[in-house]
Amino acid sequence: MPDIFGVIADATRRDILQVLLEKHLQDGEISVSEIVGQLEISQPTVSKHLKVLREAELVTVREEGQHRFYSLDPEPLEMVEDFVIPFLSAGFDTEVTVEYLSESGERVPGPEGADDFAEAEQGEVLPEEAAAAAERIGRAAARAEVRVKELVARFKLRA
């Protein structure tokens, strides 16, 4: 498999991935001619870049007669995400503390079972299913954070 970072380093491939992402979010696929029309670049250029994206397993292709329909497979990009997230979250305090306060702001004991949680924090390991769920939630939160930052950056560029 080609180096994913080298694959996405090319601006044209990133543009093609963006087009494929838009279709992916609509649960669709797109033809080469539609990509050519949207990006206004030549068909041979699009085909060349789609071949690289296919070899990197970032796209899948479905053939129908002489036509090819492409769809995004974002899974290989998780490697990029795993690499980039520590850089994006550097400097953010991720420690969470829980306090229960009365309406007047005084500290009060937590609900029943809260002490069990505190004991678990002191060394007890989560059951495997809970750990897997927590990991999925963490990944989803990280993806959401990246997406929000991306949207904020786009908004700033347009403003």
Side-chain angles (χ1 to χ4, degrees):
M1 183 167 147
D3 176 35
I4 194 79
F5 293 96
V7 172
I8 63 173
D10 184 275
T12 303
R13 286 194 285 270
R14 288 194 310 270
D15 291 342
I16 292 170
L17 285 171
Q18 189 66 44
V19 169
L20 289 165
L21 174 61
E22 290 168 12
K23 279 294 185 182
H24 179 76
L25 294 174
Q26 301 168 2
D27 290 326
E29 54 190 15
I30 189 167
S31 69
V32 174
S33 60
E34 288 175 292
I35 297 171
V36 166
Q38 283 191 35
L39 297 180
E40 298 179 352
I41 53 180
S42 72
Q43 185 274 326
T45 299
V46 170
S47 293
K48 176 186 83 167
H49 288 294
L50 283 169
K51 179 181 182 214
V52 174
L53 293 170
R54 240 186 4 259
E55 289 170 352
E57 300 176 1
L58 284 166
V59 299
T60 58
V61 63
R62 179 181 64 84
E63 294 184 32
E64 189 175 292
Q66 290 186 340
H67 300 282
R68 292 179 176 214
F69 296 92
Y70 289 86
S71 56
L72 178 68
D73 182 358
E75 190 175 326
L77 291 172
E78 287 182 9
M79 197 166 74
V80 174
E81 177 185 51
D82 292 342
F83 178 80
V84 171
I85 285 178
F87 294 94
L88 295 174
S89 60
F92 287 102
D93 183 14
T94 58
E95 185 175 320
V96 176
T97 57
V98 178
E99 282 186 352
Y100 296 93
L101 306 175
S102 67
E103 288 182 23
S104 63
E106 294 179 44
R107 197 169 185 189
V108 296
E112 192 174 317
D115 294 333
D116 296 338
F117 179 73
E119 288 174 19
E121 279 188 329
Q122 295 174 3
E124 186 177 309
V125 177
L126 288 173
E128 191 173 318
E129 301 86 30
E135 183 177 341
R136 286 192 301 274
I137 291 168
R139 282 185 174 276
R143 281 193 290 273
E145 178 186 6
V146 169
R147 184 68 179 139
V148 167
K149 286 180 179 181
E150 184 180 278
L151 291 171
V152 168
R154 280 189 188 170
F155 179 76
K156 286 180 181 178
L157 288 175
R158 290 182 182 168

